[in-house]
Amino acid sequence: SNWIPRPDHIVGVASDARTDQVMFSRVVCLLAAVEAFSVAAPIADPSLVHALAGSADGCEHVYLDCGSNIGVQVRKLYEPSMYPKARQVRDLFRRYFGEEDAARSARTCAFGWEPNPRLETRLRKTQAAYNALGWRAHFYTRTALSTFDGTAVLNAENAQTDRHAWASSITHATLSTMNETFTVATLNLASFLEKVIADRVMPSGLEIGKVVMKLDVEGEEYKIIPHLIETRALCVIDVIFIEWHARYVRQSSMNLPVVKAQLDAFLNRTTNPSCKTQVVNLDDESYGRARENPGLPVWTLSRTPYR
């Protein structure tokens, strides 16, 4: 069966038939709004990317899902029991965010970015289900992470595959499976880290917690990582795990050995003791394929399977 946390799994909220009905109604309304979005909808005005200040206020811990695809990693954070094989990433979340319980879900915010518009509806439905339960998860759809705010052309795999368009990229169009293009917004990740995450405001008496980032951006990491080093925005992050896509940059001066060397030098504790960031060797692709991924969390509430 497809599990979704009941309202009584949230600290301080009692559950009864009336509460369940209210929660159900809220999700149905949110999902109705989601249906208004389609792959033909215009992208957001890039100038709006600058208007995100304050969106992380009140978030003790933050998970940044850079390259969300269908949002599986965010679901491993909020619905860990649905992902028993994802031991490594669940251990990482436990180490930095605390035990897998309702309190952790309430105090940890998740921000995800996915540029492929064909994955938008699924992500918005997941977001709606979590927001209805009071969990602060937000997916910035039709938005790619980079070193600037503006727009870019996304070279995308057709999302109607078992892999959910894993190879969509604004950096390269070298794979035969990339058979669609879309214009998408871009977000300056360094600015987001500095202005939104580092400067988030906490309620009185609550200290700022941990920041964990997954970076899986299909080649754009060779621009983003040097930019995060140059701006020192990398130091906002407590731990980062990166999927390197070496096949895209073999002929480039900014290739894997070069960027890794820059990263190692910058994070040297002897020469840069003030930077807390740790890089972990973790590439968790579990449950990424359609056939092995649990159904959407909205299924249990709406009884209407996602198509």
Side-chain angles (χ1 to χ4, degrees), residues 62-76:
V62 175
Y63 172 56
L64 303 172
D65 195 45
C66 304
S68 292
N69 198 256
I70 59 173
V72 174
Q73 297 293 62
V74 172
R75 294 191 62 192
K76 291 170 185 173

Side-chain angles (χ1 to χ4, degrees), residues 30-31 33-38 44 119-131 138-142 296 298:
L30 284 164
L31 295 184
V34 167
E35 294 297 339
F37 291 89
S38 71
L119 304 177
E120 181 175 30
T121 297
R122 186 182 186 105
L123 291 171
R124 289 190 178 274
K125 286 186 175 184
T126 300
Q127 175 182 314
Y130 289 160
N131 293 170
H138 187 89
F139 290 102
Y140 295 98
T141 55
R142 302 168 182 264
L296 283 177
V298 295

Side-chain angles (χ1 to χ4, degrees), residues 233-248:
L234 184 67
C235 299
V236 175
I237 305 162
D238 289 280
V239 64
I240 181 173
F241 52 107
I242 308 167
E243 180 172 346
W244 299 99
H245 300 85
R247 66 182 180 275
Y248 291 143

Side-chain angles (χ1 to χ4, degrees), residues 9 29 61 65 94 129 138 172 212-213 249 259 276 288 306:
H9 293 163
C29 291
H61 302 304
D65 195 45
R94 192 181 298 111
H138 187 89
H172 297 278
V212 174
M213 177 189 284
V249 292
V259 175
K276 61 187 176 182
Y306 171 82

Side-chain angles (χ1 to χ4, degrees), residues 276-291:
K276 61 187 176 182
T277 308
Q278 295 184 34
V279 179
V280 299
N281 184 23
L282 172 62
D283 181 12
D284 176 25
E285 300 287 1
S286 63
Y287 299 93
R289 295 181 181 273
R291 63 177 178 268

